[in-house]
């Protein structure tokens, strides 16, 4: 079972890396559902609302 445990852990690490990267690169946020978005969206792909505004980065 050790092999499966190692594989599962690697998948979890990879998922977290992807999530972190998404948070860092997202520059816009949907005002309706608060989904983090990328600059090339005119409307939210999650809920379809056009209320996408830039996120202030600190
Ligand atoms: Zn939305």
């Amino acid at each position: 079972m050790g092999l499966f445990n190692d594989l599962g852990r690697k998948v979890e690490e990879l998922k977290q890396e992807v999530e972190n990267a998404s948070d860092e690169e997202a520059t816009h946020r949907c005002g309706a559902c608060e989904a983090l978005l990328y600059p090339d969206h005119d409307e939210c792909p999650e809920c379809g609302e056009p209320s996408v505004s830039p996120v202030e980065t600190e």
Side-chain angles (χ1 to χ4, degrees):
M1 291 302 284
L3 183 65
F4 288 107
N5 285 342
D6 285 351
L7 197 64
R9 197 174 302 130
K10 281 211 163 55
V11 169
E12 281 303 313
E13 286 174 6
L14 202 63
K15 266 199 267 181
Q16 287 187 353
E17 278 179 26
V18 169
E19 282 171 12
N20 288 343
S22 299
D23 282 351
E24 284 171 15
E25 291 173 18
T27 57
H28 290 61
R29 184 190 295 270
C30 173
C33 72
E34 300 196 339
L36 288 169
L37 307 171
Y38 298 92
D40 54 339
H41 287 295
D42 289 332
E43 58 186 35
C44 177
E46 298 291 329
C47 68
E49 290 288 332
S51 55
V52 176
S53 55
V55 173
E56 299 293 333
T57 50
E58 297 169 8

